[in-house]
Amino acid sequence: SVVRVNRGRVLLLRRSRGYAPEPIGLHLHLPEILACGGEQKNTFCLTKNDKAFLSQHIGDLENGQTLLNFEEGIEHYKTLFDIKPDIVAYDLHPEYLSTKYALTYPGEVKKIGVQHHHAHLASCLADNGEDGPAIGVCFDGTGYGPDGCIWGGEFLVGGYKNFIRAAYLAYVPMPSGSMAIKEPWRMTLSYLYAAYGSEMEFLNIDFIRCLPECWRLLREALDKKINSPLTSSCGRLFDGVAALIGLKNKITYEGQAAVELEQLITPGEDDFYPFEISSSGQWEIDWRPLIRGVVDDLKNGISQGVIAAKFHNTVAQMCMKTCLLIREFYGINKVALSGGVFQNVYLVNEAEDLLIRERFRVLTHRRVPPNDGGLSLGQALVASFQNAGKEHARCV
């Protein structure tokens, strides 16, 4: 298990031995459900009555041995807690091994797909013993969106049964697809190209001067929309800014650029960059003014630490100002912060403080991780409500 202590509270990053297999008490009675989790930081979850049995950290389901551990763990928990699932829940991403396992699960069981960020919202609600509706600020690296794009900068409105997407970070192409996760400079290129167009190559900053020779080919791929899926991911925005200020062009572990960007923050800086929010049915957050602001600071010799602080402050401001718009329209005052980006202690504290100042009720994770390690708990809750087709009675 891995935890951080934040303001005297435990923030779980990895819930494993020492916590698992102790059940998580729920405020609702659920049927017997198996929720298979996601691909990264996988856990599975089995439910029975008012208990959720969340597995230890399985890891990233990317090879046969980890999948075997996942399958054996499920069978062990089913025997240990005498659970025979009637419902199997899974992520909508068709290539996740956990999804493929769920879809081939034997027997007469109901199989229910759950959108990734809806599961994050439900996980945070269940973690706090709360019901919806709530505003779910779900920031992470990757989640399969119903529109076929890669989500990750989402503002949802809903509860356990349903959700709507109220707002999101504006889409940006990911040059070379998943390679852009391992090499964040590719995301920086995409953000700069969106912000400046062809003028990008004349920017007098170190990032442009040090670009690899292949960057023109990538720009051509962006123009022709070749191997450049669209993403709204807040995690990719962190990556792009980290590489832009010269922090990390390549990473060796997931989230490394964002972790090091948080560690750079100069304390006491309260300024932030501009951004715009527009509406055409859904609110869209335009990050291009932010990118231009970072470039201007680089030109003016502003330190990495100050830029890192201003960037984090900007993301917190995005959370607060977008939630204000959503509250005014939907009349909802409860906000749940979930997703791997909210492992960032500076960000979660800044966002929570700004929201509380505006008199929101703010829910953060306490018993399960905000990252995909808590995803299976949310899947179980969503599947239960969608299967029942009505609200469940609260436990008394």
Side-chain angles (χ1 to χ4, degrees), residues 192-205 208 215 219 292 295 299:
L192 287 175
Y193 194 40
Y196 290 96
S198 58
E199 297 299 312
M200 175 197 73
E201 61 184 292
F202 303 111
L203 294 175
N204 186 27
I205 55 175
I208 295 297
W215 76 267
R219 190 178 68 177
R292 296 186 192 108
V295 169
K299 289 179 179 178

Side-chain angles (χ1 to χ4, degrees), residues 282-322:
Q282 296 173 329
W283 286 283
E284 182 181 83
I285 303 167
D286 185 354
W287 34 259
R288 289 177 298 177
L290 182 163
I291 296 297
R292 296 186 192 108
V294 173
V295 169
D296 288 343
D297 275 357
L298 289 171
K299 289 179 179 178
N300 292 325
I302 304 299
S303 72
Q304 288 181 326
V306 169
I307 294 174
K310 289 175 66 175
F311 170 71
H312 282 77
N313 295 342
T314 307
V315 177
Q317 288 283 336
M318 288 176 176
C319 291
M320 180 269 289
K321 292 186 178 180
T322 307

Side-chain angles (χ1 to χ4, degrees), residues 10-235:
V10 168
L11 173 62
L12 278 165
L13 304 184
R14 178 187 296 175
R15 187 182 185 275
S16 196
R17 300 304 186 189
Y19 291 92
E22 181 181 6
I24 296 169
L26 302 174
H27 67 298
L28 303 163
H29 276 284
L30 301 187
E32 297 187 6
I33 299 172
L34 165 63
C36 297
E39 181 174 75
Q40 294 182 324
K41 304 178 184 67
N42 176 270
T43 63
F44 61 83
C45 182
L46 287 157
T47 63
K48 186 175 186 178
N49 298 323
D50 63 342
K51 298 289 189 294
F53 300 92
L54 194 72
S55 76
Q56 75 280 9
H57 172 82
I58 303 294
D60 295 350
L61 287 183
E62 296 176 338
N63 56 63
Q65 183 58 54
T66 311
L67 179 62
L68 180 62
N69 293 340
F70 168 81
E71 294 172 344
E72 290 177 345
I74 290 173
E75 294 304 314
H76 178 61
Y77 267 51
K78 284 165 56 180
T79 302
L80 187 63
F81 300 113
D82 189 25
I83 295 175
K84 297 178 181 178
D86 298 310
I87 302 169
V88 177
Y90 58 91
D91 192 275
L92 293 178
H93 196 299
E95 294 304 316
Y96 282 1
L97 294 181
S98 57
T99 298
K100 293 180 178 181
Y101 169 86
L103 293 175
T104 57
Y105 192 88
E108 296 295 321
V109 298
K110 182 78 173 287
K111 298 173 181 179
I112 298 177
V114 180
Q115 199 279 325
H116 189 93
H117 300 94
H118 188 196
H120 273 306
L121 168 58
S123 174
C124 191
L125 289 173
D127 195 355
N128 288 273
E130 294 272 352
D131 297 313
I135 302 169
V137 183
C138 302
F139 285 177
D140 61 5
T142 301
Y144 189 81
D147 59 359
C149 296
I150 302 168
W151 287 15
E154 313 308 315
F155 292 79
L156 309 182
V157 170
Y160 295 122
K161 186 178 179 183
N162 296 310
F163 78 94
I164 61 170
R165 189 193 201 193
Y168 61 96
L169 295 181
Y171 283 129
V172 62
M174 288 178 62
S176 306
S178 61
M179 183 64 71
I181 300 173
K182 299 176 182 178
E183 298 184 359
W185 70 267
R186 295 171 184 263
M187 287 308 308
T188 310
L189 177 73
S190 189
Y191 284 115
L192 287 175
Y193 194 40
Y196 290 96
S198 58
E199 297 299 312
M200 175 197 73
E201 61 184 292
F202 303 111
L203 294 175
N204 186 27
I205 55 175
D206 287 343
F207 177 82
I208 295 297
R209 287 190 286 269
C210 299
L211 272 175
E213 287 296 323
C214 66
W215 76 267
R216 286 186 173 84
L217 292 176
L218 285 181
R219 190 178 68 177
E220 186 175 349
L222 290 173
D223 287 335
K224 296 181 179 179
K225 301 179 181 179
I226 298 172
N227 194 22
S228 301
L230 295 177
T231 183
S232 60
S233 169
C234 189

